[in-house]
Amino acid sequence: MLSKSKLFLRGIADVLPHMLSVIPFGIITGAIGVEFGFDPLLVYATSLIIFGGASQIVFIQLLSGGASSLVAITSVGVINSRHFLYGAVLTEYLEKLSLIKKLVISYLITDQTFAVSSKYFKEHKINNHSHYHLIGAGVILWTTWQVTTIIGIFLGSVVPDEWGLKFAIPLTFLAIIINEFRKLDHV
């Protein structure tokens, strides 16, 4: 049985391959907000509050297009409704935790952290500290997302379109499911 710190580090190690797509996605998200004319602090605030690339981009695009705050917030809610499914899958692994721990962990759950941690939970015997894997994956992804969003806010307008960073958005989701294509019945 792994210790808390080893589970935390294992979560970091398991999510690191996903950073290849998360880093450009974060830069794009920061750059798009500034391109649409929003204050850099507001763009960064969406990164802290929403902490989800697709949701942040939709939120900013809707507001820049003149949509009401209610429409923008509702759209973010619809996009993020998949997190209810993530929660349902993870319940059996997190059921013994306090409400505070569950709330903190729920903030850290993204597509990538869910993918790597749910796989880890299925493959390894559950222990009282398994959630540290999810926390490790979530903390490193959150930190990377915040840093890259800031980079995008300040440097995004100088990144040439020829670099093709906008491809990072679908690449992020492809990176999550590509491992499943190794099984013929999943293809």
Side-chain angles (χ1 to χ4, degrees):
M1 186 178 332
L2 295 175
S3 67
K4 294 176 187 178
S5 60
K6 286 185 179 176
L7 280 165
F8 184 87
L9 293 173
R10 175 72 188 264
I12 290 172
D14 287 350
V15 85
L16 280 179
H18 293 280
M19 295 304 159
L20 294 173
S21 59
V22 170
I23 289 169
F25 194 1
I27 293 170
I28 291 164
T29 302
I32 285 175
V34 174
E35 277 183 38
F36 283 134
F38 289 99
D39 182 83
L41 287 176
L42 176 66
V43 176
Y44 185 65
T46 64
S47 187
L48 286 172
I49 296 167
I50 299 173
F51 182 41
S55 301
Q56 286 174 246
I57 290 172
V58 166
F59 183 77
I60 288 170
Q61 285 178 329
L62 286 172
L63 289 180
S64 71
S68 71
S69 298
L70 180 62
V71 168
I73 292 169
T74 303
S75 298
V76 167
V78 169
I79 292 168
N80 286 338
S81 64
R82 69 189 183 282
H83 290 265
F84 289 120
L85 297 174
Y86 295 167
V89 170
L90 295 174
T91 323
E92 69 178 287
Y93 306 110
L94 307 175
E95 66 186 352
K96 295 180 182 178
L97 300 179
S98 69
L99 178 61
I100 298 296
K101 285 182 181 178
K102 287 179 186 176
L103 289 173
V104 169
I105 289 172
S106 69
Y107 175 70
L108 295 173
I109 295 175
T110 62
D111 300 316
Q112 295 82 1
T113 57
F114 171 77
V116 298
S117 290
S118 63
K119 181 180 177 188
Y120 179 84
F121 294 158
K122 288 176 190 173
E123 292 175 354
H124 296 84
K125 192 173 184 177
I126 300 173
N127 69 46
N128 292 338
H129 306 299
S130 293
H131 61 283
Y132 280 91
H133 183 277
L134 183 57
I135 294 170
V139 166
I140 192 67
L141 196 125
W142 182 88
T143 304
T144 303
W145 186 259
Q146 301 310 317
V147 169
T148 57
T149 301
I150 291 170
I151 291 169
I153 289 168
F154 291 106
L155 300 178
S157 60
V158 298
V159 173
D161 285 338
E162 299 85 47
W163 286 13
L165 290 181
K166 290 183 180 168
F167 184 72
I169 297 170
L171 180 64
T172 299
F173 297 103
L174 184 60
I176 294 170
I177 63 168
I178 197 72
N179 195 38
E180 294 302 316
F181 289 141
R182 293 182 188 179
K183 302 169 190 154
L184 186 59
D185 63 333
H186 290 166
V187 173

